[in-house]
Amino acid sequence: MTTNLVGQGREADIIALDNGRVLRQYRETRDVEVEARAMEHVRTHGMAVPRVHETRTNAIVMERVEGPTMLAYAASHPWQLWKQAKMLARLHSQLHAVPALPGLEEPFGPGDALLHRDLHPENVLL
């Protein structure tokens, strides 16, 4: 089997599949069911996140999203930095307006909103 690696992060590899889908394969064990459920919850509240197609052992099959990362775009368009910073702040505000999903981990105590904990310019595709 040929692996079509299209991206790598600190915790996962992104592998191109067919029909506009990718596989986010985590290198260490994690609860992908909870993550997939949270992604779909956020989508139903209007956030632009990839559609989840299925979960597999330690992996999520999701819609492939094309485009540069916000960081790459900002690096090649430095005059747009403030616009990108405002967009990132808006994404955080929109996410925090999504009601908390019951059953998610509460590392900072109970709350009524979602917290991404990894929403930064390298994780935003334009």
Side-chain angles (χ1 to χ4, degrees), residues 15 36 48 53 56 58 74 77 82 91 97 101 106 113-114 118 122:
I15 300 163
H53 292 287
R56 298 180 182 175
N58 225 35
H77 298 79
W82 286 112
L91 287 172
L101 185 62
E106 297 176 326
L114 291 178
D118 202 27
E122 282 187 302

Side-chain angles (χ1 to χ4, degrees), residues 16-95:
L17 300 175
D18 57 359
N19 300 321
R21 301 176 314 146
V22 293
L23 178 75
R24 181 188 289 170
Q25 180 69 57
Y26 289 97
R27 294 184 201 101
E28 296 186 16
T29 302
R30 77 185 291 138
D31 191 345
V32 294
E33 296 294 332
V34 170
E35 183 173 352
R37 205 171 91 238
M39 288 175 68
E40 284 303 303
H41 176 71
V42 169
R43 270 180 46 78
T44 65
H45 285 84
M47 297 290 298
V49 299
R51 177 180 304 278
V52 173
H53 292 287
E54 66 179 279
T55 58
R56 298 180 182 175
T57 303
N58 225 35
I60 301 173
V61 176
M62 64 181 74
E63 169 186 20
R64 182 173 182 166
V65 177
E66 299 283 348
T69 66
M70 181 181 277
L71 183 64
Y73 182 84
S76 63
H77 298 79
W79 61 92
Q80 295 282 324
L81 184 59
W82 286 112
K83 182 178 179 181
Q84 299 304 309
K86 287 178 183 178
M87 180 188 300
L88 185 61
R90 199 168 40 253
L91 287 172
H92 277 278
S93 292
Q94 290 170 348
L95 181 64

